[in-house]
Amino acid sequence: MAGNLAHLTLAFGLLGNIISFMVFLAPIPTFYKVYKKKSTEGFQSAPYVMGLFSAMLWIYYAFLKTNAVLLITINSVGCFIETAYICFFLFYAPKKARMESLKLIVLLIVVGFGMIILLTQLLASGDTRGVIVGWICLVFSLCVFIAPLGVVRQVVKTKDVEYMPILLSVALTVSAVMWFFYGLLLHDFNIAIPNVLGFIFGIIQMILYFLYKNKKPFIDEKITNFEKKNKEMKEQEVPRLRNQNNIDVVTESLQVIVEHPHNIDHVDVEPQTLPDMPTRTIHVSA
C-alpha cells in the first residue's frame, strides 16, 4: 500500500512538473504581442515578479524538507523563465511602468527574499524553520494565483479579454489540480491548500474569457463614436470658414474705401463662389 502511494505521489509530482513547465511557457504569446507592438501596453509585470519570488521561496522550502527534489527541479526552471520574462518586459515597457516594475523587484526579490532567509536562519532552527518557510510559501503561492486576477476588473469594464491570456488560465488550473494531489499524498498542506484556491481562481478566469471573448470591446465603441463626432464637426466647420473668409474680403475692401475715398472712383468686390452662396458684385461709388 505504501509502495502504491509512493508511485502515485511520484506520478502526480512528475505531472505537476510537466504542466507547471507549460504554465511557465504559457505567457509566450503575450510577449510575442509585446514584441510585435514594441510596447507592453496594458500588460503588467506583477504576475511574473510574483512568480519569480514564489519559485525562489519554494526552492528554499524544498532544501529545508526531505524528498522534495521535484519541487527543486521545476522551480529552478521557473526562476530562469520568469527572469527572462521580466527582462523582456523591462526592455519594452514605458518609463513609468519600468520604474514601477523595478520598485516591485527590489521590494520582493532583494529586500523580501533576503529578509526571509536572514530571519529564518537567525531566529529559527530545525523543523520550526521549515514550518515558517512553508507558511510563507503558502501565502505567496496564493498571491501568484491572485495576481492574474488584477486584469479581471479591466476585462469586466472593457469587455476585452486581450490582456487575460486563456492559455495561462487553463495551465494554472490544471497545474493546481496536480499539485493539490501531490501535496495531499505527501501530507504537506503547505503545497495542497493554495492549489485549492488556485483551481477556483483559474475557473473564474476561464468563465470570464468565454463570456467576453466574442463581445466587442467597449473602449473601441467609445473611440469610434468620438471619431464620428469629430468628423461631423470638421465637415460643418469647412463652409463656416469659407463664409467667414468671404466676409473678411468684403470688410477689408470697404475699410480701404472709407479710409481713402478720394482715391477711389469705382470698386468691384467679387467674393469667391460657394455652392450654397450666390455670387454678388458690390458697386461702391465715391
PDB file of all heavy atoms in Angstrom, residues 125-145:
ATOM      1  N   SER A 125      15.209  27.262  13.839  1.00  0.00           N
ATOM      2  CA  SER A 125      16.106  26.131  13.554  1.00  0.00           C
ATOM      3  C   SER A 125      15.287  24.852  13.388  1.00  0.00           C
ATOM      4  O   SER A 125      14.133  24.761  13.830  1.00  0.00           O
ATOM      5  CB  SER A 125      17.112  25.945  14.708  1.00  0.00           C
ATOM      6  OG  SER A 125      16.431  25.681  15.920  1.00  0.00           O
ATOM      7  N   GLY A 126      15.879  23.859  12.715  1.00  0.00           N
ATOM      8  CA  GLY A 126      15.243  22.553  12.573  1.00  0.00           C
ATOM      9  C   GLY A 126      13.914  22.594  11.854  1.00  0.00           C
ATOM     10  O   GLY A 126      13.719  23.320  10.873  1.00  0.00           O
ATOM     11  N   ASP A 127      12.958  21.820  12.385  1.00  0.00           N
ATOM     12  CA  ASP A 127      11.633  21.728  11.775  1.00  0.00           C
ATOM     13  C   ASP A 127      10.869  23.045  11.830  1.00  0.00           C
ATOM     14  O   ASP A 127      10.032  23.325  10.968  1.00  0.00           O
ATOM     15  CB  ASP A 127      10.812  20.631  12.460  1.00  0.00           C
ATOM     16  CG  ASP A 127      11.390  19.242  12.203  1.00  0.00           C
ATOM     17  OD1 ASP A 127      12.128  19.089  11.202  1.00  0.00           O
ATOM     18  OD2 ASP A 127      11.096  18.323  13.004  1.00  0.00           O
ATOM     19  N   THR A 128      11.146  23.842  12.868  1.00  0.00           N
ATOM     20  CA  THR A 128      10.450  25.128  13.004  1.00  0.00           C
ATOM     21  C   THR A 128      10.738  26.036  11.818  1.00  0.00           C
ATOM     22  O   THR A 128       9.845  26.727  11.310  1.00  0.00           O
ATOM     23  CB  THR A 128      10.884  25.839  14.298  1.00  0.00           C
ATOM     24  OG1 THR A 128      10.659  24.982  15.409  1.00  0.00           O
ATOM     25  CG2 THR A 128      10.115  27.136  14.498  1.00  0.00           C
ATOM     26  N   ARG A 129      11.974  26.017  11.363  1.00  0.00           N
ATOM     27  CA  ARG A 129      12.347  26.838  10.201  1.00  0.00           C
ATOM     28  C   ARG A 129      11.549  26.389   8.974  1.00  0.00           C
ATOM     29  O   ARG A 129      11.048  27.221   8.216  1.00  0.00           O
ATOM     30  CB  ARG A 129      13.846  26.699   9.946  1.00  0.00           C
ATOM     31  CG  ARG A 129      14.367  27.584   8.824  1.00  0.00           C
ATOM     32  CD  ARG A 129      15.862  27.337   8.644  1.00  0.00           C
ATOM     33  NE  ARG A 129      16.591  27.729   9.837  1.00  0.00           N
ATOM     34  CZ  ARG A 129      17.782  27.240  10.184  1.00  0.00           C
ATOM     35  NH1 ARG A 129      18.371  26.313   9.425  1.00  0.00           N
ATOM     36  NH2 ARG A 129      18.394  27.646  11.283  1.00  0.00           N
ATOM     37  N   GLY A 130      11.401  25.084   8.773  1.00  0.00           N
ATOM     38  CA  GLY A 130      10.647  24.566   7.641  1.00  0.00           C
ATOM     39  C   GLY A 130       9.171  24.940   7.709  1.00  0.00           C
ATOM     40  O   GLY A 130       8.553  25.255   6.688  1.00  0.00           O
ATOM     41  N   VAL A 131       8.608  24.913   8.932  1.00  0.00           N
ATOM     42  CA  VAL A 131       7.191  25.278   9.109  1.00  0.00           C
ATOM     43  C   VAL A 131       6.972  26.742   8.767  1.00  0.00           C
ATOM     44  O   VAL A 131       5.998  27.104   8.070  1.00  0.00           O
ATOM     45  CB  VAL A 131       6.739  24.992  10.560  1.00  0.00           C
ATOM     46  CG1 VAL A 131       5.343  25.574  10.798  1.00  0.00           C
ATOM     47  CG2 VAL A 131       6.755  23.505  10.846  1.00  0.00           C
ATOM     48  N   ILE A 132       7.871  27.609   9.254  1.00  0.00           N
ATOM     49  CA  ILE A 132       7.738  29.053   8.994  1.00  0.00           C
ATOM     50  C   ILE A 132       7.833  29.339   7.498  1.00  0.00           C
ATOM     51  O   ILE A 132       6.990  30.053   6.929  1.00  0.00           O
ATOM     52  CB  ILE A 132       8.811  29.842   9.761  1.00  0.00           C
ATOM     53  CG1 ILE A 132       8.570  29.734  11.273  1.00  0.00           C
ATOM     54  CG2 ILE A 132       8.798  31.313   9.338  1.00  0.00           C
ATOM     55  CD1 ILE A 132       9.683  30.319  12.114  1.00  0.00           C
ATOM     56  N   VAL A 133       8.842  28.778   6.863  1.00  0.00           N
ATOM     57  CA  VAL A 133       9.021  28.998   5.425  1.00  0.00           C
ATOM     58  C   VAL A 133       7.846  28.402   4.649  1.00  0.00           C
ATOM     59  O   VAL A 133       7.397  28.956   3.642  1.00  0.00           O
ATOM     60  CB  VAL A 133      10.358  28.406   4.946  1.00  0.00           C
ATOM     61  CG1 VAL A 133      10.501  28.555   3.428  1.00  0.00           C
ATOM     62  CG2 VAL A 133      11.528  29.094   5.647  1.00  0.00           C
ATOM     63  N   GLY A 134       7.308  27.271   5.132  1.00  0.00           N
ATOM     64  CA  GLY A 134       6.156  26.652   4.484  1.00  0.00           C
ATOM     65  C   GLY A 134       4.942  27.556   4.494  1.00  0.00           C
ATOM     66  O   GLY A 134       4.229  27.671   3.480  1.00  0.00           O
ATOM     67  N   TRP A 135       4.695  28.219   5.621  1.00  0.00           N
ATOM     68  CA  TRP A 135       3.569  29.141   5.706  1.00  0.00           C
ATOM     69  C   TRP A 135       3.778  30.355   4.794  1.00  0.00           C
ATOM     70  O   TRP A 135       2.836  30.846   4.163  1.00  0.00           O
ATOM     71  CB  TRP A 135       3.359  29.603   7.149  1.00  0.00           C
ATOM     72  CG  TRP A 135       2.533  28.646   7.940  1.00  0.00           C
ATOM     73  CD1 TRP A 135       2.978  27.701   8.829  1.00  0.00           C
ATOM     74  CD2 TRP A 135       1.111  28.526   7.910  1.00  0.00           C
ATOM     75  NE1 TRP A 135       1.921  26.990   9.350  1.00  0.00           N
ATOM     76  CE2 TRP A 135       0.756  27.481   8.810  1.00  0.00           C
ATOM     77  CE3 TRP A 135       0.094  29.180   7.216  1.00  0.00           C
ATOM     78  CZ2 TRP A 135      -0.557  27.091   9.021  1.00  0.00           C
ATOM     79  CZ3 TRP A 135      -1.225  28.795   7.439  1.00  0.00           C
ATOM     80  CH2 TRP A 135      -1.533  27.760   8.332  1.00  0.00           C
ATOM     81  N   ILE A 136       5.017  30.827   4.735  1.00  0.00           N
ATOM     82  CA  ILE A 136       5.311  31.945   3.838  1.00  0.00           C
ATOM     83  C   ILE A 136       5.078  31.534   2.381  1.00  0.00           C
ATOM     84  O   ILE A 136       4.502  32.289   1.581  1.00  0.00           O
ATOM     85  CB  ILE A 136       6.765  32.428   4.037  1.00  0.00           C
ATOM     86  CG1 ILE A 136       6.939  32.987   5.449  1.00  0.00           C
ATOM     87  CG2 ILE A 136       7.122  33.500   3.006  1.00  0.00           C
ATOM     88  CD1 ILE A 136       8.373  33.330   5.805  1.00  0.00           C
ATOM     89  N   CYS A 137       5.505  30.322   2.039  1.00  0.00           N
ATOM     90  CA  CYS A 137       5.267  29.806   0.682  1.00  0.00           C
ATOM     91  C   CYS A 137       3.789  29.705   0.379  1.00  0.00           C
ATOM     92  O   CYS A 137       3.343  30.016  -0.739  1.00  0.00           O
ATOM     93  CB  CYS A 137       5.918  28.425   0.535  1.00  0.00           C
ATOM     94  SG  CYS A 137       7.711  28.452   0.445  1.00  0.00           S
ATOM     95  N   LEU A 138       3.029  29.276   1.356  1.00  0.00           N
ATOM     96  CA  LEU A 138       1.582  29.139   1.177  1.00  0.00           C
ATOM     97  C   LEU A 138       0.959  30.490   0.839  1.00  0.00           C
ATOM     98  O   LEU A 138       0.167  30.612  -0.103  1.00  0.00           O
ATOM     99  CB  LEU A 138       0.961  28.563   2.449  1.00  0.00           C
ATOM    100  CG  LEU A 138      -0.520  28.158   2.412  1.00  0.00           C
ATOM    101  CD1 LEU A 138      -0.776  27.055   3.429  1.00  0.00           C
ATOM    102  CD2 LEU A 138      -1.428  29.338   2.716  1.00  0.00           C
ATOM    103  N   VAL A 139       1.318  31.514   1.613  1.00  0.00           N
ATOM    104  CA  VAL A 139       0.739  32.847   1.407  1.00  0.00           C
ATOM    105  C   VAL A 139       1.086  33.389   0.025  1.00  0.00           C
ATOM    106  O   VAL A 139       0.219  33.893  -0.711  1.00  0.00           O
ATOM    107  CB  VAL A 139       1.215  33.812   2.512  1.00  0.00           C
ATOM    108  CG1 VAL A 139       0.790  35.246   2.182  1.00  0.00           C
ATOM    109  CG2 VAL A 139       0.663  33.398   3.865  1.00  0.00           C
ATOM    110  N   PHE A 140       2.356  33.270  -0.343  1.00  0.00           N
ATOM    111  CA  PHE A 140       2.756  33.858  -1.622  1.00  0.00           C
ATOM    112  C   PHE A 140       2.351  33.003  -2.815  1.00  0.00           C
ATOM    113  O   PHE A 140       2.259  33.515  -3.934  1.00  0.00           O
ATOM    114  CB  PHE A 140       4.254  34.142  -1.616  1.00  0.00           C
ATOM    115  CG  PHE A 140       4.601  35.411  -0.899  1.00  0.00           C
ATOM    116  CD1 PHE A 140       4.995  35.380   0.419  1.00  0.00           C
ATOM    117  CD2 PHE A 140       4.483  36.631  -1.532  1.00  0.00           C
ATOM    118  CE1 PHE A 140       5.298  36.547   1.093  1.00  0.00           C
ATOM    119  CE2 PHE A 140       4.774  37.809  -0.870  1.00  0.00           C
ATOM    120  CZ  PHE A 140       5.188  37.772   0.451  1.00  0.00           C
ATOM    121  N   SER A 141       2.095  31.741  -2.607  1.00  0.00           N
ATOM    122  CA  SER A 141       1.510  30.933  -3.681  1.00  0.00           C
ATOM    123  C   SER A 141       0.106  31.425  -4.004  1.00  0.00           C
ATOM    124  O   SER A 141      -0.304  31.473  -5.178  1.00  0.00           O
ATOM    125  CB  SER A 141       1.467  29.456  -3.280  1.00  0.00           C
ATOM    126  OG  SER A 141       2.757  28.920  -3.225  1.00  0.00           O
ATOM    127  N   LEU A 142      -0.614  31.805  -2.961  1.00  0.00           N
ATOM    128  CA  LEU A 142      -1.936  32.391  -3.175  1.00  0.00           C
ATOM    129  C   LEU A 142      -1.823  33.695  -3.956  1.00  0.00           C
ATOM    130  O   LEU A 142      -2.645  33.986  -4.828  1.00  0.00           O
ATOM    131  CB  LEU A 142      -2.630  32.637  -1.830  1.00  0.00           C
ATOM    132  CG  LEU A 142      -2.985  31.390  -1.011  1.00  0.00           C
ATOM    133  CD1 LEU A 142      -3.612  31.792   0.320  1.00  0.00           C
ATOM    134  CD2 LEU A 142      -3.936  30.494  -1.784  1.00  0.00           C
ATOM    135  N   CYS A 143      -0.779  34.473  -3.648  1.00  0.00           N
ATOM    136  CA  CYS A 143      -0.578  35.738  -4.368  1.00  0.00           C
ATOM    137  C   CYS A 143      -0.308  35.489  -5.850  1.00  0.00           C
ATOM    138  O   CYS A 143      -0.745  36.262  -6.709  1.00  0.00           O
ATOM    139  CB  CYS A 143       0.590  36.518  -3.754  1.00  0.00           C
ATOM    140  SG  CYS A 143       0.266  37.132  -2.093  1.00  0.00           S
ATOM    141  N   VAL A 144       0.417  34.405  -6.163  1.00  0.00           N
ATOM    142  CA  VAL A 144       0.693  34.071  -7.556  1.00  0.00           C
ATOM    143  C   VAL A 144      -0.598  33.752  -8.296  1.00  0.00           C
ATOM    144  O   VAL A 144      -0.799  34.156  -9.446  1.00  0.00           O
ATOM    145  CB  VAL A 144       1.678  32.886  -7.651  1.00  0.00           C
ATOM    146  CG1 VAL A 144       1.790  32.386  -9.087  1.00  0.00           C
ATOM    147  CG2 VAL A 144       3.049  33.297  -7.133  1.00  0.00           C
ATOM    148  N   PHE A 145      -1.508  33.026  -7.636  1.00  0.00           N
ATOM    149  CA  PHE A 145      -2.785  32.699  -8.261  1.00  0.00           C
ATOM    150  C   PHE A 145      -3.691  33.923  -8.370  1.00  0.00           C
ATOM    151  O   PHE A 145      -4.480  34.045  -9.307  1.00  0.00           O
ATOM    152  CB  PHE A 145      -3.498  31.600  -7.476  1.00  0.00           C
ATOM    153  CG  PHE A 145      -2.868  30.245  -7.632  1.00  0.00           C
ATOM    154  CD1 PHE A 145      -2.336  29.582  -6.531  1.00  0.00           C
ATOM    155  CD2 PHE A 145      -2.795  29.626  -8.864  1.00  0.00           C
ATOM    156  CE1 PHE A 145      -1.753  28.327  -6.663  1.00  0.00           C
ATOM    157  CE2 PHE A 145      -2.213  28.375  -9.012  1.00  0.00           C
ATOM    158  CZ  PHE A 145      -1.695  27.719  -7.910  1.00  0.00           C
TER     159      PHE A 145
END
